[in-house]
Amino acid sequence: MNKRLKTAYEVGDVPHAEHPMPQAVREHWLNLNGEWDFCKIDAADNVSHEGKILVPFSPETLNSGIAEDFVLERGAKMRYFRTVTLDKSLLQGTTLLHFGAVDSECEVLVNGRLVGTHRGGFTPFTLDVSDCVKKGENTLEVIVRDEATRNGGARGKQSDTRGGIWYTPQSGIWQTVWLESAPKKYIKSFQITPDAFKKTVTVSLESEAPKCEIRVFDEGREILCEKFTGEVTLSHDFALWSPESPKLYDFVLTNAAGDTVRSYFGVRSLGRVIDQAGKVRLALNGKPYFFNGVLDQGYWSDGMLTYPSDKAAVDELQMLKDMGFNTVRKHIKLEPMRWYYHCDRLGLAVWQDFPNGGGEYKFSHVAAFPFLGIQHKDSDYRYFAREDATARAEFDGMVDEILDALYNVPSICMWVPFNEGWGQFDSAKYTDYVLQKDPTRIVDSVSGWHDQGVGKTALRSLHIYYTPLRVPRDPRPVVLSEFGGYSMQTEGHVFDPLHEFGYKKFKTEQELCDALRLLYLKKIKPLIAKGLCGAIYTQVSDVEEEINGFVTYDRAVQKVPTAVMRAINDEIAVAAADVQ
């Protein structure tokens, strides 16, 4: 029997109460997490699960407070409702309603008026509700449907037939909901583009009042102040950002209408170089850099896609940092913006996946054939279960939403549009598009297999679990974007004691640690000199019956001691430093 497990982290009456956008902070804002009225309405208009839900946790999770038998059947919908009292500070001219993520389609009503809709369960969206809100009590209603696991929409690792590497589906609001207010002519968006070679940062903004002042601070001391219209390039002897030295600079933007936004940036550049041995390398700030990281799916036993608290996120990232890793591959999901802020300030490079969609994945097509070396052209939509034009169009829009939302994050060093053929299609086109929209980062076009031979713009990206590790000849940088996956069952801390998924199984901590030393020091370390540019171990935590994490699903037991992993990674760092 599956067992839901509680973590030790308290969620509080208002979960995730911190400001949700550290890169765009205004003075006047209101967190709308906490208790909402909730019910499920099935296709025959029968109402169930009527009561309170704790936002931002999906109703399928322990932390939501909804009964454990919650399942959103085909054709059913959910209704969220609450009142909110506003004073004049939130009615300055523009009032914006933000949603971190709602899985997967929703309608939003304010004071009974429809103010907007959104489709796509992983991306943030904002609605201008200025014409609908008033001083005093207001009503907020969200109607949610979630057919993503059935209609080819973005679903990530969720499956109606969970098991192995596919997990229990969830639905509804799963990231922070919040309001903020600004003048009528407010700063709608801004883009930060650093250049480590020129020691410059270009800030461009969209605003009806484009005349602006920017003030830049270094640990509280003002170092720059410039007035500009629309765009400015700042020159200074900026210290460069890296995982080893995650230097950030604060800045304040104020436009001519008086809208003030606090933010920050890091200065770094990414690319490729040729080392002294003639091998192509990934580069950070113009020098060869070995990305040594961990696959992070961001699932939690009591919140599923939603971590229980800000502290929970920080503790896990700090564990990885203390273990000696410098990279996290955020696998098939997006996190709240605060998660990326913590990577920025702690110093962890992020490889960011795009969530996958499409129809039913055939094991032979997305796993068995590639394992035998059989690649396939991803213009064949039927082969990759991508016949649905509406679902393809949703992916198209999601790409823009992801790039717009995360462009300014210094720690994001790589975009990963597709993984292992799951809903893959037209990957060369999307690789070109991503690089056109963001030429500052690296793109792993198709992580794992079904390589379409994209040359100058991408990587050779390998997933190797069962066959010998190697670095094939290739004019592109070669990364091992998944490997390892060693599992160890921890009694009392598993989702399903009868089902265990992992790529190699161990019984004791000592056996697991010995195997990791062998894997890293005898197999990974020699490949660095041969041209390996990065390695991503599977994975940070157990997820349901997939128990190959460094920690258990409930984060109660750390299966691999920090000191053991740190000693291993110190040796990897020495080998990487020898590459010039």
Side-chain angles (χ1 to χ4, degrees):
M1 179 180 177
N2 300 336
K3 181 182 178 183
R4 295 196 180 192
L5 302 166
K6 191 76 179 71
T7 68
Y9 293 98
E10 297 296 327
V11 298
D13 295 333
V14 181
H16 296 247
E18 302 83 3
H19 195 288
M21 283 282 290
Q23 275 196 317
V25 179
R26 288 186 171 91
E27 180 182 359
H28 301 295
W29 71 284
L30 178 66
N31 193 309
L32 297 179
N33 292 343
E35 279 197 343
W36 291 48
D37 293 322
F38 176 85
C39 68
K40 180 175 74 170
I41 306 168
D42 68 18
D45 285 334
N46 298 308
V47 176
S48 63
H49 295 85
E50 197 166 11
K52 300 290 185 181
I53 188 170
L54 191 63
V55 170
F57 297 104
S58 290
E60 294 87 352
T61 69
L62 272 178
N63 284 341
S64 72
I66 299 297
E68 291 194 21
D69 64 346
F70 186 91
V71 176
L72 191 68
E73 302 88 355
R74 184 182 295 273
K77 61 186 177 183
M78 297 166 288
R79 178 180 183 266
Y80 292 77
F81 182 88
R82 68 164 289 169
T83 60
V84 55
T85 301
L86 304 181
D87 60 27
K88 63 180 182 180
S89 70
L90 289 163
L91 303 169
Q92 299 179 75
T94 301
T95 302
L96 301 172
L97 176 59
H98 302 275
F99 291 85
V102 180
D103 194 1
S104 64
E105 302 175 51
C106 68
E107 302 170 356
V108 181
L109 297 93
V110 174
N111 292 327
R113 289 176 54 186
L114 179 67
V115 294
T117 63
H118 185 261
R119 176 172 176 173
F122 291 87
T123 45
F125 61 98
T126 297
L127 303 171
D128 187 337
V129 298
S130 308
D131 294 338
C132 304
V133 291
K134 63 183 187 295
K135 187 176 180 180
E137 186 173 272
N138 296 259
T139 63
L140 177 57
E141 184 177 3
V142 185
I143 307 299
V144 184
R145 294 171 176 83
D146 185 6
E147 301 286 347
T149 58
R150 307 164 190 127
N151 67 11
R155 65 179 183 272
K157 298 292 289 288
Q158 303 174 78
S159 173
D160 288 332
T161 53
R162 55 148 300 277
I165 65 169
W166 305 102
Y167 315 133
T168 303
Q170 66 178 78
S171 52
I173 299 171
W174 66 274
Q175 287 192 28
T176 292
V177 186
W178 55 293
L179 277 165
E180 69 172 345
S181 192
K184 278 188 176 293
K185 295 183 177 181
Y186 67 102
I187 298 170
K188 293 183 178 179
S189 66
F190 56 91
Q191 194 173 72
I192 306 165
T193 305
D195 188 322
F197 304 105
K198 297 179 181 177
K199 295 286 189 78
T200 63
V201 175
T202 299
V203 179
S204 57
L205 60 87
E206 179 187 359
S207 173
E208 291 180 12
K211 291 184 178 180
C212 199
E213 178 185 78
I214 185 168
R215 299 167 64 202
V216 181
F217 300 87
D218 182 0
E219 298 181 2
R221 179 176 61 88
E222 186 173 316
I223 58 172
L224 287 170
C225 179
E226 293 198 26
K227 298 183 186 300
F228 67 100
T229 300
E231 181 176 291
V232 64
T233 296
L234 305 169
S235 297
H236 184 75
D237 188 21
F238 293 115
L240 302 185
W241 185 95
S242 71
E244 293 70 32
S245 181
K247 178 65 175 179
L248 300 175
Y249 292 89
D250 297 317
F251 69 92
V252 177
L253 284 172
T254 304
N255 76 355
D259 188 22
T260 297
V261 180
R262 290 187 288 114
S263 187
Y264 68 88
F265 61 75
V267 182
R268 55 98 187 95
S269 290
L270 299 150
R272 62 178 78 186
V273 295
I274 304 298
D275 69 15
Q276 292 178 352
K279 298 185 183 300
V280 62
R281 300 283 181 178
L282 293 178
L284 175 63
N285 299 328
K287 297 179 180 179
Y289 193 83
F290 185 79
F291 291 89
N292 180 20
V294 190
L295 192 79
D296 180 7
Q297 305 202 70
Y299 272 81
W300 298 75
S301 59
D302 51 5
M304 297 171 73
L305 286 175
T306 310
Y307 51 75
S309 67
D310 201 57
K311 185 178 188 309
V314 173
D315 285 352
E316 188 146 284
L317 292 170
Q318 188 64 59
M319 178 192 73
L320 297 178
K321 186 76 175 175
D322 292 343
M323 283 180 159
F325 292 104
N326 61 32
T327 302
V328 178
R329 180 180 170 197
K330 179 49 61 178
H331 193 42
I332 317 295
K333 70 170 286 197
L334 271 68
E335 291 287 4
M337 291 303 297
R338 287 195 64 84
W339 185 89
Y340 298 97
Y341 163 64
H342 295 311
C343 291
D344 292 341
R345 68 177 186 83
L346 292 173
L348 283 164
V350 177
W351 293 9
Q352 178 63 56
D353 288 16
F354 294 2
N356 57 280
E360 183 179 355
Y361 306 145
K362 295 181 180 179
F363 177 79
S364 60
H365 291 188
V366 300
F369 290 167
F371 182 77
L372 297 172
I374 301 172
Q375 305 292 317
H376 202 84
K377 292 292 184 183
D378 60 18
S379 56
D380 185 346
Y381 295 164
R382 183 178 180 183
Y383 185 93
F384 289 96
R386 272 297 193 180
E387 301 99 316
D388 190 308
T390 301
R392 294 199 306 272
E394 179 189 326
F395 182 86
D396 203 61
M398 182 184 69
V399 170
D400 279 330
E401 290 182 321
I402 291 172
L403 296 177
D404 289 343
L406 300 180
Y407 181 90
N408 291 338
V409 177
S411 57
I412 294 180
C413 295
M414 186 179 297
W415 301 116
V416 187
F418 295 105
N419 178 77
E420 292 188 353
W422 303 344
Q424 179 179 327
F425 70 105
D426 297 340
S427 60
K429 180 191 81 171
Y430 281 105
T431 300
D432 288 343
Y433 180 75
V434 169
L435 281 163
Q436 175 189 340
K437 192 160 183 177
D438 178 14
T440 71
R441 290 182 171 93
I442 306 157
V443 177
D444 181 357
S445 181
V446 288
S447 186
W449 37 75
H450 292 299
D451 185 3
Q452 303 299 297
V454 178
K456 296 180 179 179
T457 57
L459 312 174
R460 179 70 180 274
S461 182
L462 308 174
H463 293 184
I464 302 177
Y465 288 107
Y466 297 112
T467 55
L469 300 179
R470 62 190 179 88
V471 178
R473 287 187 178 182
D474 202 290
R476 300 167 292 180
V478 177
V479 298
L480 188 55
S481 44
E482 287 187 30
F483 76 102
Y486 290 177
S487 69
M488 185 185 81
Q489 190 171 119
T490 309
E491 187 175 354
H493 299 279
V494 292
F495 176 79
D496 185 350
L498 301 180
H499 295 91
E500 173 183 350
F501 180 88
Y503 296 96
K504 197 171 184 180
K505 301 179 182 180
F506 299 90
K507 295 294 186 182
T508 68
E509 178 185 300
Q510 187 64 53
E511 290 176 351
L512 177 59
C513 292
D514 288 345
L516 285 169
R517 287 190 193 93
L518 179 65
L519 176 64
Y520 271 90
L521 302 183
K522 299 299 183 183
K523 298 181 179 181
I524 295 295
K525 183 179 174 181
L527 295 181
I528 298 173
K530 295 179 180 179
L532 187 66
C533 298
I536 305 294
Y537 179 84
T538 303
Q539 62 182 326
V540 175
S541 73
D542 296 350
V543 185
E544 296 193 351
E545 67 189 50
E546 186 177 359
I547 58 170
N548 48 19
F550 287 138
V551 296
T552 55
Y553 193 22
D554 58 2
R555 274 55 172 191
V557 178
Q558 185 173 328
K559 293 186 279 184
V560 179
T562 297
V564 169
M565 204 65 235
R566 182 71 193 216
I568 293 170
N569 281 331
D570 283 347
E571 291 200 39
I572 296 297
V574 170
D578 288 339
V579 175
Q580 299 294 332

